[in-house]
Amino acid sequence: ILVRSGYQEITLVGQNVNAYGLDLKENERFSDLLAAVAELGIPRLRFITSHPWNFDEAMIEVIAKYDNIMKSIHLPLQSGNDEILKLMGRRYTVESYLDLVAKLRAKMPSIALTTDIIVGFPNETEAQFEDTLKVVKHVGYSGAFTFIYSPRQGTPAAKMIDDVTLEEKHRRFDRLKDIVEESTAAYAQTLVGQVKAVLVDGTSKKNDQMLSGYTEENKLVHFQGSSDLVGTIVQVKILESRVYHLAGEMVNEPHQ
């Protein structure tokens, strides 16, 4: 119905979306669902949030196969240290996470990866925090959501004795934020000069001839154009990176 109604983009959403099917008897997995939706012909298909533990080879193959599945994946890291990941209840290691990143990039070299990271988890040492920074630098994320740990009632972590001071948590957060911004800026700069397909989201509140929308990599772009283009996909040449958004101009060239 959505495709027939002219919708340009669908996002499949779940707290751990790629765990779909694990509780079903029919042996259907998220990769099957993803392929089935892609074959409906929706111009753009996204999904969030995927858990590294359930991200299998079949998913990688499906994402690479279908052009309408956006090559932009949110892949939460949380921490770059195995001991902290274990305390968090994350069922993957840094090695397996980086192996997954390598497999994704082997199939899709230009894929955009974003992540979630928590600093100051109970009893996180400086060395363990440094491990997280090493992973962030190694992966080169196109963006990241960063958080300072705070106890959540009812979770195992809330019962842990935390010897990381609030001052230290903020210091680590600021260091992480600087490195994430460097990574975000470096990735955004690679898009400058390219022509990108942009789904027009809306117009500026101050100028209805200034449009904004998102590239396939989920990067926000501002450019001039008529308001009747809202809801359509247009070709935009990226002229400038402003780190968290891009500036461009609409062109008639085919998408490259």
Side-chain angles (χ1 to χ4, degrees), residues 105 111 113 135-143 183-184 187:
R105 287 191 166 147
I111 193 167
L113 298 175
V135 174
V136 173
K137 291 176 182 178
H138 175 80
V139 174
Y141 295 105
S142 65
S183 177
T184 302
Y187 179 82

Side-chain angles (χ1 to χ4, degrees), residues 16 51-54 77-79 81-93 118 121-122 155-157 160:
N16 176 11
H51 195 298
W53 174 255
N54 299 116
L77 171 67
Q78 305 299 5
S79 171
N81 177 269
D82 287 344
E83 292 179 25
I84 297 297
L85 287 173
K86 188 174 181 180
L87 288 174
M88 288 177 169
R90 308 289 288 183
R91 294 185 294 171
Y92 54 86
T93 63
I118 297 172
F121 195 79
T155 63
M160 297 178 186

Side-chain angles (χ1 to χ4, degrees), residues 52-206:
W53 174 255
N54 299 116
F55 212 117
D56 57 21
E57 297 273 1
M59 280 185 61
I60 297 174
E61 292 295 331
V62 168
I63 296 166
K65 177 180 178 181
Y66 293 94
D67 290 341
N68 58 342
I69 298 179
M70 299 296 93
K71 306 307 184 276
S72 173
I73 308 294
H74 190 70
L75 198 64
L77 171 67
Q78 305 299 5
S79 171
N81 177 269
D82 287 344
E83 292 179 25
I84 297 297
L85 287 173
K86 188 174 181 180
L87 288 174
M88 288 177 169
R90 308 289 288 183
R91 294 185 294 171
Y92 54 86
T93 63
V94 173
E95 182 180 4
S96 66
Y97 182 94
L98 293 178
D99 183 58
L100 173 58
V101 169
K103 288 177 179 177
L104 285 164
R105 287 191 166 147
K107 282 283 186 181
M108 298 161 281
S110 62
I111 193 167
L113 298 175
T114 56
T115 198
D116 297 331
I117 301 171
I118 297 172
V119 300
F121 195 79
N123 305 305
E124 178 191 63
T125 67
E126 182 68 17
Q128 290 170 331
F129 169 66
E130 290 287 346
D131 286 343
T132 296
L133 298 186
K134 290 175 186 176
V135 174
V136 173
K137 291 176 182 178
H138 175 80
V139 174
Y141 295 105
S142 65
F145 297 100
T146 54
F147 308 91
I148 293 175
Y149 169 79
S150 59
R152 184 177 299 174
Q153 190 173 1
T155 63
K159 299 177 182 178
M160 297 178 186
I161 297 173
D162 186 4
D163 64 358
V164 184
T165 66
L166 185 59
E167 180 183 11
E168 179 62 22
K169 291 180 197 292
H170 280 282
R171 186 190 69 81
R172 292 178 187 177
F173 178 81
D174 289 342
R175 282 193 64 200
L176 173 63
K177 187 175 68 172
D178 288 344
I179 290 173
V180 164
E181 186 160 306
E182 288 175 10
S183 177
T184 302
Y187 179 82
Q189 191 61 40
T190 67
L191 302 179
V192 175
Q194 295 188 43
V195 175
K196 289 293 178 182
V198 174
L199 174 56
V200 185
D201 226 17
T203 61
S204 167
K205 293 180 180 178
K206 296 180 179 179

Side-chain angles (χ1 to χ4, degrees), residues 5-35:
S5 299
Y7 280 76
Q8 299 293 302
E9 184 171 299
I10 290 175
T11 301
L12 304 179
V13 179
Q15 186 172 1
N16 176 11
V17 70
N18 48 329
Y20 171 85
L22 297 181
D23 57 344
L24 300 177
K25 296 179 181 179
E26 291 78 6
N27 199 35
E28 183 174 330
R29 295 294 180 260
F30 183 67
S31 55
D32 301 311
L33 176 65
L34 198 58

